[in-house]
Amino acid sequence: MCGIVGYIGHRPAYPILIKGLHRLEYRGYDSAGVALMTPEGKLNIYKTRGKVEDLERFCESKDVTGTLGIAHTRWATHGEPNDINAHPHYSASGKIALVHNGTIENYNVLKEALEMHGCTFKSETDTEVLVQLIEYIKESTGCTLVDAVREALKEVVGAYAIAVIDTENPDTVIGARKSSPLVIGVGDGETFLASDATPIVEFTDKVVYLNDDEIAIIRRGEPLQIITTDNVPGEVDIKTLKMSVEQLEKGGYPHFMLKEIFEQPRTIHDCIRGRIGNTGSEVTLSGVIEHKDKFMNARRMIIVACGTSWHAGLIGKRLIQEIARIPVEVEYASEFRYSNPILDERDIVIAISQSGETADTLAAIQMARKCGAFVYGVCNVVGSSIARATDSGTYIHVGPEIGVASTKAFTGQVTVLTMFALALGTLRGTIDRETAAKVTGALRNLPALIKQTLKLNDTIEKLSSTYTYVHNFLYLGRGYNYPSALEGALKLKEISYIHAEGYPAAEMKHGPIALIDREMPTVVIAPNDGMHEKIVSNIQQVKARGGSVIAVVTKGDTTIAEIADHILEIPEVPDIISPIIVSIPLQLLAYHVAIKKGCNVDMPRNLAKSVTVE
Ligand code: M6R
């Protein structure tokens, strides 16, 4: 939630900051702002409700000079999205400006204390409290800016990634983090700071991931310095980014979401590369091999995740139970963290997160580790907070996912969970070589099968016109594809704003069937598996009540073709990998319906890609 970016160097800061905000806009897009230090040492702050493009228009006739600045794109938590609540926020004197990602939980207490000292507030945000507190400490004690930031952060309860500038220190940018991400880009005579590496990668591949409770002191012409909030020197651990600028562009597609859907043959190839050989049944996951004993002796596994990652977790549960015969529970991270769970060192917690920054998932990990459980992570973003908070893990390696609706990350997560289940099954001797070879063979074929399935795009585009003005959708699936139904419904609702519900197909008769009429289409996921006959009955039940049916079926399924209104044919695949293949038409359906409705699929209303607040 919220993206922050900062720059200090020899180039004009404004274009770098704006471009950086565009890259971070997936994190929030209800208002945006920038603070620039002019060559004369004056602070110019421009901010407005709306997207980054609105900020650019707002700045057209403004003085945007300066080689030092900070900027922000917001996802509102405290205070509605308007010009005043937009960041950067500034101190009473107007000398200090600050951008913030996170939530300051004790802001009311701090605010009351500052008001007693005569401070007045312009905005309704928690962030303004922090910038006022920094100035209050600096003015009342006469300390340096760094010490004022440090002392202020010690008073704060909550999560933050911040960047601070001050007219009295016109060649300094200060960054700090706790539970919200902050990456420093180390260039040649210039330094960048951002919520993730995407605004940095085109300028330098050298980055430092700030740790919790660390403060980065970036002074023009001086090496980066890191200290902790307790004033202990920190390590400047420079890492090399493995990310390219091309991965961050739309590459000729109208939207990131469509690009990411079509990228899946390649992303799945990248995900399995080096982990499954060209032949044989062996799966090599270093995150498992290095902790062999833990995985051999695990009593049970608990998967924690949110949203789409949680749906991947439901599929993971079936895979692990089926292949490795270990009991698995799946929990929403937000519920798990407050459920006082019974956990100890015999349990393995699996945290799944595309961004690696989801606040609830991170909190669940911290709690699990406190209880002694071993934590295994399945993340996409390399170096993210969750990736660093786990004991071991496997990256899905699908490249940056920018569309807010998760697509390629979902298929990457399910692919990793399939490999994980296979690795465990082999280790524990619960799967025979022949069956393992069948599954690894199917995984090897995935890129080609996805490519074939993507040919449905034109059919789905045409079909979507029929359903543009529908208000409700039902998604049904069974077995491995019950979670696919949940995921299909989530995709549709988050980008088209059409209400959609996913259900296990057999549960329909226990309630949702009452909703079926001519106005309520049902998407039925009905590949040729052990449940086929039963799902045919479910389709008939819908048809008997006047509902229309879009069925995702295995190529050549004449039975369903005769009764459904529309069929979307996928290639014949083993049950175990079918959720990956069926997700392709469901992603495309959501995309085309949303486009026909005129929705902004990459930046749906009220959402943000990375949910770093509770
Ligand atoms: O980054 P994470 O995987 O932890 O994010 C979890 C959810 O916020 C995310 O999957 C969300 O549900 C997506 N918008 C779904 O498309």
Side-chain angles (χ1 to χ4, degrees):
M1 309 257 140
C2 300
I4 67 175
V5 53
Y7 175 77
I8 174 167
H10 44 79
R11 309 181 218 218
Y14 178 74
I16 294 172
L17 296 174
I18 290 292
K19 203 166 185 186
L21 287 187
H22 276 298
R23 295 240 196 268
L24 294 177
E25 216 169 3
Y26 72 87
R27 301 177 67 89
Y29 31 80
D30 59 45
S31 49
V34 58
L36 294 155
M37 192 75 72
T38 70
E40 298 76 36
K42 186 176 161 241
L43 192 57
N44 282 328
I45 298 179
Y46 309 118
K47 48 188 193 167
T48 181
R49 185 197 164 117
K51 298 202 162 57
V52 178
E53 60 189 29
D54 297 302
L55 175 66
E56 283 182 273
R57 267 192 295 279
F58 183 73
C59 289
E60 263 162 20
S61 54
K62 305 279 194 299
D63 173 9
V64 291
T65 57
T67 54
L68 181 155
I70 54 176
H72 188 270
T73 179
R74 180 169 188 241
W75 186 88
T77 54
H78 296 71
E80 65 171 277
N82 60 27
D83 297 354
I84 294 172
N85 290 332
H87 299 216
H89 288 282
Y90 47 94
S91 60
S93 70
K95 290 179 188 167
I96 304 175
L98 179 146
V99 289
H100 167 221
N101 163 214
T103 311
I104 294 165
E105 286 167 16
N106 61 338
Y107 82 102
N108 258 331
V109 180
L110 296 172
K111 192 170 181 176
E112 275 167 25
L114 286 164
E115 279 170 342
M116 275 168 40
H117 288 101
C119 280
T120 55
F121 291 84
K122 293 173 274 300
S123 75
E124 303 152 272
T125 65
D126 51 337
T127 303
E128 191 187 351
V129 173
L130 183 53
V131 71
Q132 300 271 24
L133 180 62
I134 292 170
E135 178 156 88
Y136 173 76
I137 294 172
K138 185 166 176 268
E139 296 295 313
S140 59
T141 66
C143 69
T144 62
L145 175 67
V146 174
D147 282 341
V149 170
R150 213 170 46 73
E151 290 302 328
L153 292 179
K154 282 162 76 174
E155 300 294 323
V156 161
V157 177
Y160 57 79
I162 57 164
V164 186
I165 57 177
D166 172 17
T167 54
E168 290 183 356
N169 294 268
D171 291 311
T172 304
V173 177
I174 294 177
R177 79 156 267 177
K178 182 174 197 165
S179 303
S180 290
L182 196 61
V183 187
I184 317 285
V186 185
D188 191 8
E190 55 188 351
T191 308
F192 307 79
L193 172 155
S195 298
D196 69 27
T198 59
I200 297 174
V201 64
E202 74 183 87
F203 304 103
T204 176
D205 63 353
K206 300 281 172 279
V207 294
V208 175
Y209 295 98
L210 216 59
N211 292 310
D212 275 353
D213 298 311
E214 283 186 342
I215 298 174
I217 304 159
I218 309 163
R219 293 199 176 97
R220 201 186 291 279
E222 288 182 24
L224 169 66
Q225 193 194 341
I226 293 177
I227 57 166
T228 66
T229 41
D230 291 328
N231 210 8
V232 176
E235 191 194 349
V236 178
D237 180 13
I238 297 184
K239 301 254 192 266
T240 304
L241 280 178
K242 290 193 187 81
M243 183 191 283
S244 70
V245 179
E246 295 73 58
Q247 288 178 305
L248 308 174
E249 311 283 354
K250 288 191 193 140
Y253 286 91
H255 302 98
F256 281 111
M257 183 179 176
L258 193 63
K259 177 193 173 214
E260 287 158 5
I261 293 173
F262 271 85
E263 264 178 350
Q264 290 174 101
R266 191 186 50 72
T267 57
I268 295 303
H269 173 80
D270 292 347
C271 178
I272 60 178
R273 191 175 48 205
R275 291 162 170 172
I276 290 181
N278 291 335
T279 54
S281 61
E282 207 173 321
V283 174
T284 314
L285 294 181
S286 51
V288 174
I289 296 167
E290 285 159 15
H291 301 274
K292 219 169 155 182
D293 291 345
K294 269 277 165 207
F295 288 104
M296 285 280 283
N297 302 318
R299 171 177 68 160
R300 64 172 178 160
M301 294 187 172
I302 299 134
I303 297 178
V304 292
C306 305
T308 287
S309 300
W310 185 78
H311 296 155
L314 291 177
I315 299 169
K317 169 186 165 122
R318 285 191 90 96
L319 288 162
I320 298 165
Q321 288 194 165
E322 180 90 17
I323 298 175
R325 309 303 296 153
I326 306 173
V328 183
E329 292 161 27
V330 187
E331 299 271 359
Y332 283 117
S334 53
E335 290 295 317
F336 178 77
R337 63 184 286 196
Y338 293 114
S339 65
N340 194 13
I342 303 160
L343 272 181
D344 64 32
E345 64 286 349
R346 291 166 299 170
D347 297 316
I348 292 182
V349 168
I350 304 174
I352 309 175
S353 173
Q354 185 286 130
S355 61
E357 300 296 346
T358 301
D360 284 320
T361 311
L362 193 56
I365 292 171
Q366 283 154 355
M367 198 194 64
R369 291 195 64 174
K370 255 194 212 143
C371 297
F374 181 87
V375 184
Y376 175 81
V378 178
C379 292
N380 188 32
V381 178
V382 176
S384 56
S385 304
I386 291 177
R388 289 187 294 147
T390 47
D391 296 295
S392 87
T394 301
Y395 283 115
I396 62 173
H397 286 320
V398 298
E401 188 180 67
I402 293 164
V404 164
S406 192
T407 53
K408 62 176 181 173
F410 175 72
T411 51
Q413 289 165 341
V414 179
T415 304
V416 161
L417 290 166
T418 313
M419 293 191 287
F420 176 72
L422 275 175
L424 288 192
T426 310
L427 204 63
R428 294 166 64 99
T430 50
I431 186 168
D432 60 73
R433 199 178 276 263
E434 199 187 332
T435 317
K438 266 193 202 141
V439 184
T440 47
L443 287 171
R444 249 177 244 122
N445 277 341
L446 266 179
L449 292 167
I450 295 174
K451 208 169 174 183
Q452 209 176 320
T453 312
L454 283 166
K455 289 188 185 145
L456 284 170
N457 188 41
D458 290 347
T459 311
I460 295 173
E461 202 256 334
K462 285 191 197 103
L463 168 73
S464 62
S465 318
T466 316
Y467 297 100
T468 314
Y469 298 105
V470 157
H471 294 295
N472 299 288
F473 254 94
L474 189 62
Y475 282 69
L476 301 178
R478 297 191 74 145
Y480 280 109
N481 285 313
Y482 154 51
S484 309
L486 296 179
E487 176 57 9
L490 175 63
K491 262 341 42 120
L492 185 76
K493 72 184 121 183
E494 71 179 325
I495 59 169
S496 72
Y497 318 139
I498 295 174
H499 168 245
E501 279 192 64
Y503 255 91
E507 275 295 303
M508 181 183 64
K509 57 186 175 295
H510 298 289
I513 198 163
L515 297 167
I516 306 281
D517 64 13
R518 282 174 203 288
E519 311 292 316
M520 172 116 167
T522 303
V523 176
V524 185
I525 303 154
N528 232 340
D529 56 20
M531 295 290 183
H532 186 260
E533 257 178 48
K534 299 195 184 300
I535 219 150
V536 170
S537 314
N538 298 135
I539 295 177
Q540 270 154 345
Q541 288 155 11
V542 174
K543 290 304 302 169
R545 283 150 188 89
S548 60
V549 169
I550 305 168
V552 179
V553 298
T554 304
K555 204 171 171 50
D557 185 334
T558 48
T559 315
I560 295 184
E562 273 173 25
I563 48 174
D565 297 80
H566 308 276
I567 53 159
L568 299 171
E569 291 189 318
I570 57 164
E572 173 105 51
V573 291
D575 293 9
I576 234 167
I577 62 154
S578 71
I580 300 173
I581 299 299
V582 306
S583 70
I584 306 294
L586 302 184
Q587 293 167 356
L588 287 168
L589 181 65
Y591 173 81
H592 287 297
V593 170
I595 292 295
K596 292 266 159 57
K597 280 193 74 178
C599 300
N600 184 341
V601 295
D602 283 340
M603 289 186 241
R605 70 182 180 207
N606 305 338
L607 284 172
K609 183 81 184 153
S610 190
V611 185
T612 55
V613 294
E614 263 200 85

